[in-house]
């Protein structure tokens, strides 16, 4: 009887619907891409720590097709890599960095970072976004410089330049403190 | 883009239509909003955007849809081609530039980013372009030539292409395929 109820519940019309026409989001090279990003990330000091952290905390990683390389944390627990379907348009170091940033973001949530709800006043959301951005951008520079040093590639450093974070990159290379780097970033966001 | 925000009920309906079993966690009706915009080159299909506000920065997913069935814009030209083939593309001198702007924004090319410029001088500010400018469909280039050649439209205009400024002839066939022929480079390596 209980089993029958379970079966009926599975067809409950009040359950969240899933469309038969829903697009297929999964990246065609999901498995290979996640494996390669993990391998590259594990080859740099901060990346190795993050890969170990993800394994210890069993953080799920998925990959979906998307217009531009990116990452997305939908539920504070899962990293979703977003990546064009055509592998020729994807830089593997950029995707490895995205994986590292995704794991780092979950680490921040696990350490107690709380984001305001979507209905919070705009200034509260903006303040929280700025604080998080400061941490994440500085961390992106750390990962990028390590990738540059270990893999001898300028791809990510060029990307940092395009994002307008040249000064931050130079500051990091000069050994400035985290506080000084935050000040550089704040200034660049205000200009 | 002239966006129209969907009410709660329609947002939930849309999310249920695009939610796949494999990637259900991509969408949360509680923290997401949906909006749509009319496109001058499609009769029945609108551009839909779901924004998830639970992540900071917010995360967008774009679709083409007729209100019932939605095609995920995944960075390839496949969803556009499918709609063009099955539902038709309104292609004429008034719609060809908006179509090209839309195409270049949503379809990732191996040639990198491509943007139709209002004039060559605009290329000096390309680093300051945000997504709003990049997906602006109402750009009217100062100097442009539109010709009907056999079954296609040929647009000659200023283009940001291959990391530089060029004058290019862009051919759009009746099924919406796009081919670029650079005529002369006006400025190289702008980024």
């Amino acid at each position: 009887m209980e089993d029958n109820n379970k079966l009926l519940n599975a067809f409950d019309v009040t359950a969240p619907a899933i469309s038969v026409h829903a697009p297929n989001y999964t990246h065609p090279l999901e498995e290979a891409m996640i494996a390669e990003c993990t391998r590259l990330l594990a080859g740099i000091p901060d990346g190795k720590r993050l890969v170990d952290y993800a394994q210890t905390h069993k953080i799920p990683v998925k990959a979906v097709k998307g217009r531009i390389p990116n990452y997305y944390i939908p539920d504070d627990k899962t990293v979703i890599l977003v990546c064009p379907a055509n592998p020729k348009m994807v830089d593997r170091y950029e995707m490895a960095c995205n994986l590292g940033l995704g794991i780092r973001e979950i680490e921040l949530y696990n350490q107690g970072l709380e984001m305001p709800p979507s209905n919070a006043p705009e200034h509260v959301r903006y303040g929280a976004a700025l604080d998080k951005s400061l941490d994440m951008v500085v961390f992106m520079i750390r990962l990028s410089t390590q990738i540059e040093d270990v893999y001898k590639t300028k791809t990510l450093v060029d990307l940092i330049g395009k994002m307008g974070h040249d000064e931050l990159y130079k500051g990091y290379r000069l050994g400035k403190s985290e506080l000084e780097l935050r000040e550089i970033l704040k200034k660049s966001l205000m200009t | 883009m002239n966006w129209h925000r969907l009410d709660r009920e329609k947002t939930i309906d849309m999310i249920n239509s695009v939610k796949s079993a494999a990637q259900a966690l991509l969408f949360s009706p509680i923290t997401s909003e949906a909006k749509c915009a009319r496109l001058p080159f499609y009769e029945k299909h609108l551009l839909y955007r779901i924004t998830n506000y639970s992540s900071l920065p917010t995360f967008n997913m774009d679709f083409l849809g007729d209100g019932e069935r939605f095609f995920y814009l995944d960075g390839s030209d496949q969803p556009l081609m499918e709609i063009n083939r099955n539902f038709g593309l309104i292609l004429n001198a008034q719609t060809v530039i908006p179509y090209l702007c839309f195409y270049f924004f949503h379809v990732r090319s191996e040639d990198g980013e491509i943007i139709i410029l209002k004039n060559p001088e605009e290329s000096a500010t390309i680093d300051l372009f945000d997504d709003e400018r990049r997906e602006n469909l109402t750009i009217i280039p100062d100097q442009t030539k539109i010709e009907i050649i056999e079954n296609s439209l040929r647009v000659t205009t200023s283009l940001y292409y291959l990391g530089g400024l060029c004058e290019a002839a862009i051919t759009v066939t009746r099924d919406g395929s796009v081919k670029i022929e650079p005529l002369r480079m006006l400025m190289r390596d702008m980024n």
Side-chain angles (χ1 to χ4, degrees):
Chain A
M1 192 63 190
E2 192 181 277
D3 282 350
N4 281 344
N5 282 341
K6 276 182 186 168
L7 192 65
L8 285 172
N9 287 343
F11 291 94
D12 185 347
V13 288
T14 59
I18 289 174
S19 169
V20 289
H21 292 304
N24 176 17
Y25 303 99
T26 304
H27 196 282
L29 301 172
E30 180 180 48
E31 208 174 312
M33 183 171 61
I34 293 170
E36 176 66 355
C37 290
T38 305
R39 186 187 72 79
L40 289 172
L41 203 56
I44 60 172
D46 274 320
K48 171 79 171 73
R49 187 187 68 73
L50 289 169
V51 168
D52 290 346
Y53 183 86
Q55 281 166 356
T56 304
H57 291 80
K58 297 186 170 48
I59 295 173
V61 180
K62 294 168 183 285
V64 300
K65 294 178 280 185
R67 190 172 61 84
I68 47 175
N70 200 353
Y71 74 93
Y72 169 50
I73 311 295
D75 59 356
D76 299 359
K77 299 181 200 74
T78 309
V79 179
I80 295 187
L81 293 174
V82 184
C83 183
N86 183 346
K88 286 183 189 167
M89 289 186 282
V90 184
D91 181 84
R92 58 193 182 134
Y93 299 107
E94 185 180 352
M95 287 313 300
C97 187
N98 281 333
L99 174 61
L101 290 173
I103 299 168
R104 167 65 176 165
E105 194 167 325
I106 290 174
E107 185 183 43
L108 286 177
Y109 292 130
N110 289 345
Q111 287 169 355
L113 174 75
E114 280 185 29
M115 299 313 286
S118 56
N119 59 357
E122 198 168 334
H123 72 276
V124 174
R125 285 180 54 79
Y126 178 77
L130 181 65
D131 280 348
K132 194 176 124 186
S133 296
L134 287 168
D135 188 282
M136 295 304 291
V137 173
V138 171
F139 201 80
M140 177 182 72
I141 301 227
R142 280 171 63 151
L143 291 179
S144 301
T145 49
Q146 289 173 21
I147 285 174
E148 181 188 14
D149 293 343
V150 172
Y151 297 112
K152 314 293 177 208
T153 171
K154 283 272 182 194
T155 314
L156 286 171
V157 177
D158 291 344
L159 198 62
I160 286 167
K162 280 184 191 169
M163 292 167 79
H165 297 312
D166 285 317
E167 289 305 313
L168 200 63
Y169 171 72
K170 283 179 201 160
Y172 183 83
R173 280 297 192 196
L174 288 170
K176 289 190 185 286
S177 69
E178 201 100 339
L179 202 63
E180 289 171 306
L181 294 175
R182 281 172 170 259
E183 285 308 308
I184 294 172
L185 180 60
K186 266 188 188 170
K187 270 187 200 164
S188 75
L189 291 175
M190 285 171 193
T191 53
Chain B
M1 197 71 75
N2 199 4
W3 290 108
H4 168 75
R5 198 171 142 191
L6 271 61
D7 63 29
R8 212 62 228 138
E9 199 179 318
K10 284 183 180 161
T11 297
I12 291 168
D13 284 349
M14 192 208 158
I15 288 175
N16 285 338
S17 296
V18 300
K19 192 189 275 184
S20 74
Q23 303 287 5
L25 66 86
L26 278 171
F27 308 99
S28 160
I30 300 163
T31 57
S32 298
E33 277 183 7
K35 54 188 180 179
C36 63
R38 197 162 279 287
L39 299 167
F41 41 84
Y42 287 137
E43 193 182 340
K44 289 182 185 164
H45 287 78
L46 307 179
L47 171 64
Y48 286 82
R49 176 164 296 164
I50 296 180
T51 301
N52 190 336
Y53 287 95
S54 70
S55 70
L56 282 174
T58 56
F59 182 74
N60 292 328
M61 293 185 88
D62 290 349
F63 300 82
L64 286 170
D66 60 3
E68 289 181 7
R69 185 156 181 212
F70 297 88
F71 297 80
Y72 173 51
L73 292 167
D74 62 2
S76 74
D77 69 353
Q78 196 250 332
L80 275 78
M81 293 302 122
E82 196 168 337
I83 285 180
N84 296 347
R85 195 168 46 243
N86 294 320
F87 304 98
L89 169 68
I90 303 166
L91 199 62
N92 55 43
Q94 285 74 46
T95 62
V96 68
I97 300 277
Y99 177 74
L100 283 171
C101 291
F102 185 84
Y103 185 98
F104 291 145
F105 183 77
H106 286 282
V107 178
R108 291 277 292 190
S109 161
E110 287 180 27
D111 296 335
E113 187 166 35
I114 304 170
I115 308 173
I116 291 185
L117 299 173
K118 184 167 166 42
N119 50 49
E121 291 73 38
E122 209 191 9
S123 64
T125 58
I126 220 151
D127 282 347
L128 304 174
F129 279 14
D130 54 14
D131 270 359
E132 201 175 326
R133 165 62 185 88
R134 285 184 162 85
E135 67 177 328
N136 184 357
L137 306 184
T138 59
I139 286 294
I140 303 169
D142 293 344
Q143 289 190 330
T144 187
K145 190 164 78 174
I146 300 171
E147 305 160 276
I148 300 170
I149 296 176
E150 293 174 359
N151 218 13
S152 304
L153 285 181
R154 182 179 148 109
V155 179
T156 307
T157 191
S158 305
L159 203 62
Y160 174 73
Y161 180 58
L162 296 171
L165 171 65
C166 76
E167 186 183 45
I170 311 160
T171 304
V172 189
T173 59
R174 284 285 158 200
D175 70 353
S177 299
V178 174
K179 192 176 156 198
I180 301 172
E181 180 193 344
L183 300 176
R184 59 188 178 117
M185 291 306 286
L186 302 172
M187 207 188 295
R188 278 186 189 279
D189 297 328
M190 287 158 40
N191 46 16

